[in-house]
Amino acid sequence: MRACSAAMPEILAPAGNQQALEAAVRAGADAVYLGLTDFNARRTAGNFDAAALQEAAAFCRARGVKCYLTFNTELMEGELARACEALRAADAAGVDAVIVQDLAAAALVRRYVPGAALHASTQMSVHSPAGIRQLARLGFSRAILAREMSLAELRAAAKDSPIELEVFVHGALCMSMSGQCYMSAFLGGRSGNRGLCAGPCRLPFSAAQPPREGDFHLSLKDHSHLARLPALREAGIASVKIEGRLRGPEYVAAAVAACVAAREGLPYDEEILRNVFSRSGFTDGYIKGVRDGTMFGVRTAQDSAAARAAAPALRELYRRERPSVPVSMCLTLKENSAALEACDGQGHIACAQVQAVHAPAQKNLTQSCARALEKTGGTPFFVREAAVQGADAWYAPAGELGALRREALEKLLALRAAPPQRQCLAPPAPPLAAALQPGAPRNVTPQAALCARFETPQQLACAEGEWKALERVLLPVQHWASVPEPLRAKTWLELPRAEFTGESQLQSLAASLSGKGFAGFVAQNLAHFALPCAGPWMGGFGLNVTNAAAARAYLAMGCESVTASPELTARGVHELAAQAPTAVLAYGHMPLMLTRACPLHNVHGCKGCPQKGTLTDRKGAKFPVRCTGPQGMRTVYNPVPLYLCDKAGQAGADMLLLYFTIEPPQRVGQVLRLARAGAPFDGAFTRGLFFKGVL
């Protein structure tokens, strides 16, 4: 394989189909990532079936390029058997690594693809050293970090990291943090967490009052950080990744070629990159740590025209094989035979022989024979050394030498393409091993307990008359001091879904709260399990638990219960609760997006931002926006609340969770009383995905 290290990071390219795969390899990528027709975060790409995956992996292996399989979607309970078959195909193909989001998928990879490395998808929302440490404990060898991180944050994450780190350096930016977006699922029934995002954030959304036509305040420009490859290399980043499995081979080749040049400190043509695909240019706001209105942009007709004009010339970047594999050759000429041995230096040796009558040489032809062997055009090989024996005594025609060279190189290519014989890298970590061991079926109580999560101390105070009816109270951890002593025994302190720069403060706060009488903490991210909290833990909806195997993994990490993903149907919740104590979101303005870029900046500017507002879509629906938590993360909420409390008998869960966020304090008590009575809702509402499901 091509040698890459922290000193020379791997260039990782997208391969949405075979053409894009060949373009990436021929343009100089060190590794590619691709998906099967199912179970990947770009299910609308061309992708690969089992046979095509085997060919693709062999193509890469023969050319010294690593092949990573994206298996990075949530798995539903009924899909696990099909997932096992897909992973058997991955093992047969000999992929180098599998990228996963779901802990059930991670456990299945360890069982069915034991020789492949385990990479944590950016869909796992990894953004901190604690998250990286927890992934290492689970047996991951690489973490793909969140796109929202600044260079300073990337440096902090890479310092003393026990595993490799991968970062995106070019391509599209989602408005929401990966793995924390439900907008496509709730608005259109197509889940971004399952690879079918419909891209609603690219549609018009206005933050002005009254709304303006042509505002796109949820659409970010593509990002491009190629100029910062030296800084990323110095930080210790192992792999730099190009986004774009939905893009064509011209885009892939242009981005890879530019990345290769930037890594080597050579100039590259940013105009070509911009022309082949951009949304009116690029942004580097996240990596600079400057998140303002300049980050936003849309794809225009001029952008599309520039792409059409640029495409023909870019095809030259991948029209021919790239001579990237060094080979040594040794030719031996005798009176009645010729033999050629080709060696790639990695233990592969191919031989070609011919029986032929050779005339005596009139002069020493050693140099001309060597030059004939070096004509490897059209192959991925280049000759590092050519040794010739007997050319001072015997003459062999050029046609004979060419046939020997072609035969030897074809055999060598086949040897390199063969699936590797490899051993299991490591046994599964205990939580992943637990995921693979079904527990005894549980009996869920017919009457689900009522729990409530409050955003503010004021909401909590206004609900005082309903405290006795609540099995649990959830409150963001920064408001812990607002909880009265008698209420602490049933209060769970919720940790933030994203914590980019305040990890040390969160660690200190969580540690200081031990022994203060609280019931436990709500974990919203894998990073939380690496914090110095004794627990117990309640798994929050930010963990995206969609199947019992993942739930068992979280139980093995200390969770005493999990919250069902809001993308689960009633049947999915039943299946989850049969194996683990389960809460289901039964009320709340669903947090559709968790974003670090502020959609209100385009209207108010950074200094004048009011910290809250609304976005209006093209149909007139108004989506509340709030700055939430100590890190200033922004959340975009669904305009109407989810409500299931009058369907409690169908929930199949242990707990009904009322998730209060933007409600005025006085409204909280009203909703609590409706929920306790199991009464119909008194306003506009949605059932979410509970009955109709999601694609």
Side-chain angles (χ1 to χ4, degrees):
M1 300 293 177
R2 302 177 190 184
C4 296
S5 65
M8 186 62 75
E10 166 191 272
I11 294 173
L12 178 55
N17 54 37
Q18 183 63 29
Q19 265 193 311
L21 174 80
E22 294 179 7
V25 173
R26 291 176 177 178
D30 303 302
V32 299
Y33 62 104
L34 48 79
L36 287 163
T37 50
D38 208 350
F39 304 118
N40 79 86
R42 292 293 184 271
R43 284 162 61 193
T44 54
N47 293 316
F48 297 78
D49 60 20
L53 175 64
Q54 196 148 12
E55 292 178 7
F59 180 88
C60 292
R61 198 160 41 241
R63 289 154 181 81
V65 174
K66 292 184 177 181
C67 180
Y68 304 150
L69 177 69
T70 59
F71 207 73
N72 55 340
T73 59
E74 298 170 345
L75 299 178
M76 299 300 184
E77 194 69 32
E79 297 174 332
L80 297 184
R82 196 154 43 90
C84 295
E85 290 303 313
L87 290 172
R88 287 189 181 99
D91 188 52
V95 298
D96 295 283
V98 183
I99 304 167
V100 302
Q101 171 190 8
D102 194 311
L103 289 188
L108 293 175
V109 169
R110 274 287 167 259
R111 172 176 284 180
Y112 294 105
V113 202
L118 199 54
H119 292 182
S121 171
T122 189
Q123 289 286 116
M124 295 186 94
S125 308
V126 182
H127 49 71
S128 67
I132 295 164
R133 293 194 301 273
Q134 185 61 22
L135 288 170
R137 294 187 187 114
L138 291 173
F140 286 82
S141 60
R142 178 181 293 186
I144 305 170
L145 298 179
R147 290 171 173 87
E148 289 82 358
M149 297 175 70
S150 69
L151 183 57
E153 290 161 354
L154 291 171
R155 285 196 181 106
K159 183 181 180 182
D160 302 323
S161 172
I163 57 177
E164 292 180 341
L165 301 182
E166 176 181 309
V167 300
F168 284 90
V169 293
H170 188 81
L173 283 177
C174 292
M175 183 67 185
S176 178
M177 188 175 179
S178 295
Q180 301 299 320
C181 184
Y182 303 95
M183 179 170 276
S184 179
F186 268 71
L187 299 190
R190 295 177 56 183
S191 169
N193 290 320
R194 289 174 52 76
L196 284 177
C197 180
C201 55
R202 302 298 182 188
L203 297 173
F205 281 85
S206 178
Q209 299 298 332
R212 293 191 302 248
E213 291 187 8
D215 283 347
F216 292 85
H217 293 313
L218 289 180
S219 180
L220 295 176
K221 295 178 180 178
D222 283 21
H223 72 311
S224 190
H225 306 328
L226 302 192
R228 289 178 170 80
L229 259 59
L232 293 171
R233 181 178 64 241
E234 291 168 8
I237 300 301
S239 180
V240 292
K241 186 173 194 172
I242 299 164
E243 185 278 337
R245 282 195 292 133
L246 295 177
R247 309 268 173 91
E250 295 86 2
Y251 165 89
V252 173
V256 170
C259 207
V260 169
R263 184 177 65 176
E264 296 174 358
L266 301 174
Y268 62 92
D269 194 331
E270 186 172 328
E271 184 178 358
I272 288 178
L273 279 183
R274 192 164 51 246
N275 288 343
V276 72
F277 194 97
S278 77
R279 291 180 169 86
S280 299
F282 300 122
T283 177
D284 58 358
Y286 278 138
I287 202 164
K288 287 195 306 184
V290 179
R291 299 176 291 276
D292 57 23
T294 65
M295 298 178 68
F296 293 78
V298 295
R299 182 89 168 145
T300 66
Q302 291 83 355
D303 295 330
S304 299
R308 290 191 295 270
L314 292 173
R315 292 174 191 137
E316 285 299 310
L317 292 173
Y318 62 94
R319 190 166 64 87
R320 300 180 182 86
E321 284 273 16
R322 179 184 179 89
S324 56
V325 180
V327 63
S328 299
M329 291 191 178
C330 181
L331 174 68
T332 302
L333 293 178
K334 296 181 179 179
E335 180 179 3
N336 296 315
S337 66
L340 178 62
E341 183 179 276
C343 174
D344 66 356
Q346 295 182 354
H348 299 109
I349 301 173
C351 299
Q353 297 182 356
V354 64
Q355 299 297 317
V357 177
H358 296 129
Q362 300 301 312
K363 59 180 180 178
N364 190 332
L365 300 174
T366 299
Q367 293 300 318
S368 62
C369 286
R371 286 193 296 272
L373 297 178
E374 292 170 356
K375 295 179 180 179
T376 59
T379 77
F381 299 105
F382 67 92
V383 177
R384 181 168 51 193
E385 180 183 9
V388 179
Q389 300 175 6
D392 56 342
W394 307 104
Y395 167 76
E400 180 181 307
L401 296 179
L404 284 170
R405 182 191 67 239
R406 287 190 293 274
E407 181 183 350
L409 292 182
E410 286 172 3
K411 288 181 176 178
L412 185 60
L413 197 65
L415 287 172
R416 291 173 58 84
Q421 298 294 319
R422 57 191 185 186
Q423 301 296 316
C424 175
L425 293 181
L432 299 188
L436 298 172
Q437 302 297 324
R442 299 177 62 250
N443 291 319
V444 182
T445 57
Q447 185 66 39
L450 197 63
C451 308
R453 181 266 189 193
F454 304 98
E455 178 76 22
T456 67
Q458 292 77 18
Q459 290 176 338
L460 176 65
C462 278
E464 183 176 359
E466 300 294 329
W467 287 353
K468 289 183 179 180
L470 298 176
E471 178 78 13
R472 297 183 179 186
V473 171
L474 281 62
L475 192 70
V477 66
Q478 65 269 23
H479 300 313
W480 70 270
S482 301
V483 183
E485 290 278 356
L487 191 60
R488 291 187 179 186
K490 63 165 67 176
T491 299
W492 296 71
L493 298 174
E494 181 187 74
L495 302 181
R497 284 194 285 159
E499 188 78 17
F500 287 90
T501 59
E503 181 176 286
S504 59
Q505 294 94 321
L506 185 62
Q507 287 177 334
S508 299
L509 177 59
S512 71
L513 293 174
S514 178
K516 292 193 181 295
F518 290 99
F521 295 90
V522 182
Q524 299 270 58
N525 188 282
L526 270 174
H528 297 154
F529 298 102
L531 296 176
C533 304
W537 294 102
M538 176 180 178
F541 79 87
L543 298 179
N544 287 325
V545 181
T546 56
N547 59 74
R552 289 191 294 270
Y554 284 114
L555 294 182
M557 286 192 287
C559 282
E560 57 78 61
S561 64
V562 296
T563 303
S565 164
E567 297 188 357
L568 281 184
T569 61
R571 178 179 177 180
V573 174
H574 276 270
E575 292 169 336
L576 188 60
Q579 287 284 304
T582 300
V584 64
L585 291 177
Y587 166 82
H589 286 267
M590 184 65 203
L592 298 181
M593 282 188 172
L594 182 69
T595 177
R596 209 176 187 192
C598 182
L600 304 178
H601 277 174
N602 288 2
V603 175
H604 302 286
C606 297
K607 295 182 179 179
C609 183
Q611 306 296 303
K612 67 178 183 178
T614 59
L615 293 173
T616 306
D617 72 3
R618 68 195 193 284
K619 296 180 180 180
K622 295 186 180 299
F623 294 74
V625 181
R626 298 289 186 272
C627 287
T628 56
Q631 294 296 308
M633 296 295 293
R634 284 83 180 174
T635 303
V636 180
Y637 295 96
N638 206 29
V640 296
L642 171 74
Y643 189 73
L644 298 172
C645 296
D646 56 340
K647 303 290 183 181
Q650 301 177 46
D654 300 87
M655 294 170 280
L656 301 179
L657 178 58
L658 312 182
Y659 201 85
F660 295 106
T661 52
I662 61 174
E663 293 84 356
Q666 62 271 21
R667 176 60 173 157
V668 171
Q670 296 170 356
V671 174
L672 277 167
R673 287 187 287 274
L674 288 173
R676 186 156 55 88
F681 197 61
D682 59 356
F685 70 98
T686 177
R687 299 293 189 192
L689 304 166
F690 194 70
F691 294 110
K692 65 182 180 180
V694 68
L695 296 176

